Amino acid sequence: MNTALNRRSFLRTSSLAAAGAVPAWFLDYRESMAANRISLSPNDRPALALIGCGGQGRGVANRASKSAEIVAVCDLDERRLGEALKSFPKAQRFSDFRKLLQRNDIHGIINGTPDHWHTLINIAALKAGKDVYSEKPLTLTLDEGKRLVRVAEETKGVLQTGSQQRSDERFHLACELVRNGRLGKLTDVLVNLPSGPRGGPFAKAPVPPELNWDVWQGQVALTDYVPERCHGSFRYWWDYSGGTMTDWGAHHNDIALWGIGQERSGPVSVEAKPRIDMIPGGYTAYSEYEVHYVFANGVKQTTQSVVENGPDGRDLKKPEQGHFPHGVKFTGTLGWIFVTRGRIEASDPELLTMPILTRSQRLYVSRNHMENFIECMRTRKAPICDAEIGHRSVSVCHLGVIALRLKRKLRWDPVAEQFLDDPEANAMLSRKMRKPYDYSLVI
Ligand SMILES: NC(=O)c1ccc[n+]([C@@H]2O[C@H](COP(=O)([O-])OP(=O)(O)OC[C@H]3O[C@@H](n4cnc5c(N)ncnc54)[C@H](O)[C@@H]3O)[C@@H](O)[C@H]2O)c1
């Protein structure tokens, strides 16, 4: 802290303390937050940093580089860093995201790390005055989400969740029709997710010399290195993620909430059961499951895993046969609409082809998820999938994962974000975080 700031703080403390006003340290914090954020004029190309250089992070950074400069890359795996530097040779390399965040010429970050690292990095970036494009699923726990939403509000940072289906015209069309009553009264939502792998048992192996396995594990209790726990397949371990329930669920449950009109709320009950047991010593997140939710407006949602191209040779990709691949099916008193990537269908084609004549609801329009983020960095408006929406979408997934583990019906208060009369379930809203990779890392 510089001397001028110290003197200002002192003067404020002595003159305002008696009046019970906002303390000086907080005013200084607000000032420094404002000073940290470098403003962007309409023609500036923002400077972005990529943290987490796996396939997804690099893909997103490549898309961002059409309108932004990728000035820094960060990873705990030297090989991954090398791959990122091939695409962005001028970028500065980092292995510690906290050092990267000290660069004050960076406007924003792309967070492509595994799920268990998203929140701490996102909170640290927002507190350092950076905007954030964070991969989904936005969080590992409901508690992380609540904290992240608070920090996004306090810092006024722009946070776009990487649930890019919101920027796709088919998903927008489906939700706009449902929200404007095209299906009559919406009664049921079916969310089909790909089933996950049921692999194992897996053997431990020597840690690759290029990887910092200790830091990679972050908040999770240290275990031996098992290749299947690490890059890519971390998502099938409950320690780091929630299986396809959170991986694909973050996409399709997000669309379901958008269509139901509950994107800043959630269900009031959840009940779940695994359809198959996992193999001891193998992946821990349930690979096949079904979850039933009820919303306060009476809509019932089933989220289930589906085996596409099943062993009996059924072509599950043909909705007219009554089987749906992964995607979202909205059913109301007048028919149904099914939407997935690259495809939208309805029980009667006219449900889609008739224009909406009287709109009671207009949904946010974004034609390109990354461009929407960059535009919002300039305008300071909320992006299409802001922190709360990203948190609420993955909350539906986390509720499903908790219900699957407890195997009983749970009642949920979406306002207080607590289970009702259920201390065992409420204890699962957060997890024990290994020090120093807990919230104290980013205070
Ligand atoms: N939006 C989409 O459609 C989509 C598609 C694929 C993946 N994703 C999401 O993107 C994220 C990454 O997925 P992936 O398949 O690229 O994973 P990955 O495991 O291949 O890559 C993650 C990278 O992050 C690095 N990393 C881990 N902890 C770090 C830390 N603290 N600091 C810096 N680097 C760190 C790892 O070493 C690794 O290189 C996941 O959350 C996943 O759900 C989203």
Side-chain angles (χ1 to χ4, degrees):
M1 205 183 279
N2 66 33
T3 325
L5 208 56
N6 278 336
R7 196 174 307 117
R8 271 209 313 275
S9 302
F10 172 73
L11 287 174
R12 277 205 205 105
T13 310
S14 43
S15 59
L16 295 179
V22 175
W25 69 264
F26 188 69
L27 295 174
D28 284 341
Y29 158 74
R30 278 169 62 90
E31 242 169 67
S32 69
M33 291 314 307
N36 265 347
R37 197 179 314 287
I38 339 155
S39 62
L40 268 177
S41 70
N43 297 323
D44 282 346
R45 281 168 70 84
L48 296 181
L50 169 62
I51 305 177
C53 306
Q56 182 63 9
R58 295 202 310 276
V60 171
N62 269 321
R63 284 197 283 285
S65 66
K66 294 194 178 83
S67 309
E69 299 300 330
I70 307 297
V71 297
V73 291
C74 173
D75 205 294
L76 308 169
D77 180 323
E78 288 290 319
R79 198 172 46 82
R80 291 285 177 95
L81 260 182
E83 281 163 25
L85 285 164
K86 279 187 211 155
S87 302
F88 310 109
K90 292 192 191 141
Q92 188 181 359
R93 62 191 290 159
F94 290 89
S95 53
D96 185 338
F97 69 89
R98 290 169 303 171
K99 294 217 173 91
L100 178 153
L101 293 176
Q102 283 168 6
R103 254 185 79 165
N104 59 13
D105 60 339
I106 291 177
H107 298 96
I109 66 152
I110 294 167
N111 187 346
T113 59
D115 310 1
H116 65 290
W117 260 112
H118 288 173
T119 301
L120 290 183
I121 293 173
N122 290 340
I123 288 180
L126 288 165
K127 286 189 170 182
K130 319 291 185 210
D131 294 326
V132 172
Y133 182 105
S134 173
E135 263 317 330
K136 47 51 64 179
L138 194 53
T139 61
L140 184 67
T141 64
L142 284 131
D143 180 59
E144 284 189 354
K146 287 196 252 179
R147 288 171 188 258
L148 178 67
V149 169
R150 257 198 321 268
V151 173
E153 278 166 12
E154 281 165 14
T155 58
K156 302 201 181 337
V158 169
L159 187 149
Q160 173 83 300
T161 312
S163 302
Q164 72 274 13
Q165 290 182 171
R166 281 200 176 228
S167 297
D168 176 286
E169 58 205 8
R170 289 180 191 81
F171 292 99
H172 178 200
L173 170 63
C175 293
E176 186 111 4
L177 287 169
V178 174
R179 292 276 289 269
N180 283 286
R182 179 56 54 89
L183 295 179
K185 184 174 161 28
L186 179 68
T187 55
D188 298 276
V189 181
L190 176 67
V191 173
N192 280 349
L193 306 175
S195 34
R198 187 172 167 266
F202 300 117
K204 66 178 182 182
V207 178
E210 66 274 15
L211 175 71
N212 188 334
W213 175 234
D214 182 332
V215 182
W216 187 97
Q217 292 193 81
Q219 61 170 285
V220 176
L222 277 183
T223 68
D224 287 329
Y225 175 73
V226 171
E228 288 80 3
R229 278 182 166 268
C230 193
H231 298 327
S233 45
F234 66 82
R235 42 172 66 67
Y236 307 121
W237 300 83
W238 184 75
D239 281 347
Y240 316 110
S241 182
T244 62
M245 174 83 93
T246 48
D247 190 31
W248 273 96
H251 286 302
H252 291 330
N253 284 329
D254 178 54
I255 297 302
L257 278 190
W258 204 17
I260 301 171
Q262 295 281 320
E263 59 187 345
R264 295 188 190 274
S265 183
V268 293
S269 75
V270 55
E271 190 169 13
K273 62 169 188 236
R275 288 182 177 156
I276 198 161
D277 285 333
M278 301 309 285
I279 298 168
Y283 295 126
T284 50
Y286 285 113
S287 59
E288 293 183 39
Y289 47 82
E290 67 183 74
V291 190
H292 302 280
Y293 304 92
V294 178
F295 287 84
N297 60 5
V299 173
K300 294 191 171 75
Q301 178 180 324
T302 296
T303 296
Q304 62 174 359
S305 59
V306 289
V307 181
E308 294 178 357
N309 299 321
D312 59 359
R314 271 184 313 168
D315 181 3
L316 299 184
K317 294 196 193 284
K318 291 214 171 105
E320 60 274 21
Q321 293 175 354
H323 303 296
F324 292 87
H326 73 76
V328 186
K329 183 188 175 206
F330 296 101
T331 302
T333 45
L334 301 178
W336 56 259
I337 293 173
F338 172 78
V339 63
T340 189
R341 295 187 181 183
R343 174 163 145 201
I344 181 164
E345 297 175 33
S347 49
D348 176 346
E350 278 208 347
L351 288 173
L352 303 179
T353 52
M354 283 281 292
I356 301 176
L357 297 178
T358 47
R359 260 190 180 74
S360 61
Q361 314 231 8
R362 274 176 205 281
L363 303 188
Y364 194 129
V365 180
S366 154
R367 292 187 188 82
N368 179 308
H369 213 56
M370 177 51 75
E371 292 302 327
N372 173 248
F373 170 59
I374 292 175
E375 186 189 323
C376 292
M377 290 178 76
R378 296 199 173 100
T379 61
R380 310 312 298 164
K381 289 192 180 140
I384 189 162
C385 202
D386 65 25
E388 187 179 13
I389 295 176
H391 158 58
R392 292 293 190 160
S393 301
V394 76
S395 294
V396 175
C397 312
H398 293 325
L399 293 177
V401 170
I402 292 171
L404 268 178
R405 292 174 70 82
L406 292 178
K407 301 187 183 66
R408 58 186 167 78
K409 186 167 182 175
L410 308 169
R411 287 182 304 136
W412 177 247
D413 175 345
V415 179
E417 299 189 72
Q418 292 268 319
F419 292 102
L420 293 174
D421 305 322
D422 200 328
E424 189 187 14
N426 278 327
M428 295 172 81
L429 297 177
S430 59
R431 301 186 189 188
K432 190 169 163 33
M433 299 166 94
R434 174 171 68 107
K435 284 191 179 298
Y437 308 105
D438 58 357
Y439 298 113
S440 64
L441 189 78
V442 295
I443 194 150

